[in-house]
Amino acid sequence: MTALTICSWNVNGLRATIKGGFLDTWLAATRPDIVGMQEVKATPTQVPHAAWDSLGYASTWHIAQRAGYSGALLLSLPQPKSVRCGLGVPEFDAEGRLIEAEYETFTLLTSYFPNAGRGVERMAYKHEYFAAFLARCNELRAQGRSLIFMGDMNVAHHEIDVARPDEALKGTGFLPEERLWIDRFIEHGYVDTFRALNPDTRDAYSYWDAWRKRRARNIGWRIDYVFVSEDLMPRVKRAFIQPEMMGSDHCPVGIELELP
């Protein structure tokens, strides 16, 4: 059997994460096999690659057209058979939100899902992105592919996933219509690995607002996920969150996957 560690991390500015030494330290200490990063806010020419080149990672970027905004990066020790950036929808792909990589036994998608902001001005865009993403996942499943998808989904699913539910309802990210999208993924046969393996675990968050030192007080949200198609779930041996890892207002999340 082969064990793979697969991680997702919204770094909220890759240049700052590298400059602070956080990425180098984390990669060297944990050596995940595959890492999907969101909100890199950079291009390949703007950051040193030594942190991952020396460890043998191949890199794939999906860069936003707008400078210093959004962006995705995939680091992989196993060489993907193929990679694709975007959903094929110009208004989504211009924001650098998705990398899809095909491996021998599964297809992996790492994505930065839209944030609807403090109001609802981007809510329609967010719903449309979720719909297009789910359609792509189902298309791959119809082709017989096992799936892993992960990233900052900008939605906390249940009250257990947010420290202050009543407060969260005053903004976006915990509205009923947003939470329905997580329900839809589950209804279509995709499994939230962390909650499946840790059904009653409380105070487990992946994002903390910088306001009033909320991370130190663990007043957070679980909005970063690793999902798998149901056929892969028996091979998920562990699902984890790494709140001790600094360098962003999010922390890494991941799974250990056992494959033949």
Side-chain angles (χ1 to χ4, degrees), residues 34-68:
I34 302 171
V35 183
M37 298 183 197
Q38 305 90 44
E39 269 200 293
V40 296
K41 300 179 179 178
T43 67
T45 60
Q46 292 176 321
V47 297
H49 294 195
W52 56 82
D53 285 349
S54 63
L55 295 174
Y57 288 98
S59 59
T60 302
W61 296 72
H62 190 200
I63 302 167
Q65 291 180 6
R66 176 179 156 193

Side-chain angles (χ1 to χ4, degrees), residues 6-29:
I6 300 171
C7 291
S8 174
W9 190 10
N10 179 327
V11 293
N12 193 14
L14 183 60
R15 283 171 285 185
T17 306
I18 291 175
K19 186 177 180 180
F22 300 105
L23 180 64
D24 302 43
T25 300
W26 179 69
L27 282 176

Side-chain angles (χ1 to χ4, degrees), residues 60-250:
T60 302
W61 296 72
H62 190 200
I63 302 167
Q65 291 180 6
R66 176 179 156 193
Y69 178 72
S70 191
L73 170 62
L74 178 71
L75 302 181
S76 186
L77 291 175
Q79 185 68 37
K81 294 172 63 177
S82 64
V83 293
R84 161 180 159 159
C85 292
L87 287 166
V89 181
E91 57 265 39
F92 300 143
D93 298 348
E95 296 192 355
R97 294 190 173 274
L98 176 72
I99 300 171
E100 177 186 310
E102 181 183 353
Y103 296 90
E104 191 65 37
T105 55
F106 61 86
T107 296
L108 179 140
L109 300 92
T110 175
S111 181
Y112 176 45
F113 289 74
N115 185 337
R118 296 293 180 183
V120 295
E121 65 278 359
R122 289 264 286 178
M123 189 62 75
Y125 182 92
K126 185 173 187 175
H127 286 310
E128 289 164 5
Y129 185 89
F130 269 95
F133 183 90
L134 178 56
R136 177 56 181 166
C137 289
N138 288 342
E139 179 182 5
L140 290 165
R141 288 292 289 144
Q143 295 170 9
R145 301 298 299 170
S146 298
L147 281 196
I148 300 169
F149 64 83
M150 60 187 185
D152 174 5
M153 299 183 77
N154 269 306
V155 178
H157 191 198
H158 294 301
E159 288 192 358
I160 195 174
D161 298 312
V162 59
R164 295 183 174 175
D166 291 341
E167 178 185 291
L169 284 168
K170 296 176 183 178
T172 60
F174 192 58
L175 297 175
E177 60 266 34
E178 295 173 291
R179 295 158 64 187
L180 278 173
W181 279 108
I182 308 298
D183 292 336
R184 288 191 182 107
F185 284 125
I186 293 169
E187 289 164 2
H188 280 259
Y190 305 105
V191 182
D192 173 359
T193 55
F194 181 83
R195 191 52 71 200
L197 294 180
N198 305 276
D200 301 315
T201 299
R202 307 188 70 85
D203 304 320
Y205 308 124
S206 63
Y207 163 77
W208 302 264
D209 194 314
W211 186 60
R212 293 188 177 179
K213 299 181 179 179
R214 290 197 163 195
R215 185 163 189 167
R217 299 155 63 202
N218 200 29
I219 301 172
W221 302 53
R222 189 174 74 92
I223 59 175
D224 301 86
Y225 299 81
V226 183
F227 274 82
V228 299
S229 51
E230 287 176 338
D231 63 304
L232 281 181
M233 191 61 207
R235 300 198 174 276
V236 179
K237 301 308 173 185
R238 188 167 75 97
F240 56 86
I241 301 174
Q242 299 177 318
E244 72 283 357
M245 187 62 221
M246 308 301 286
S248 169
D249 51 0
H250 295 248

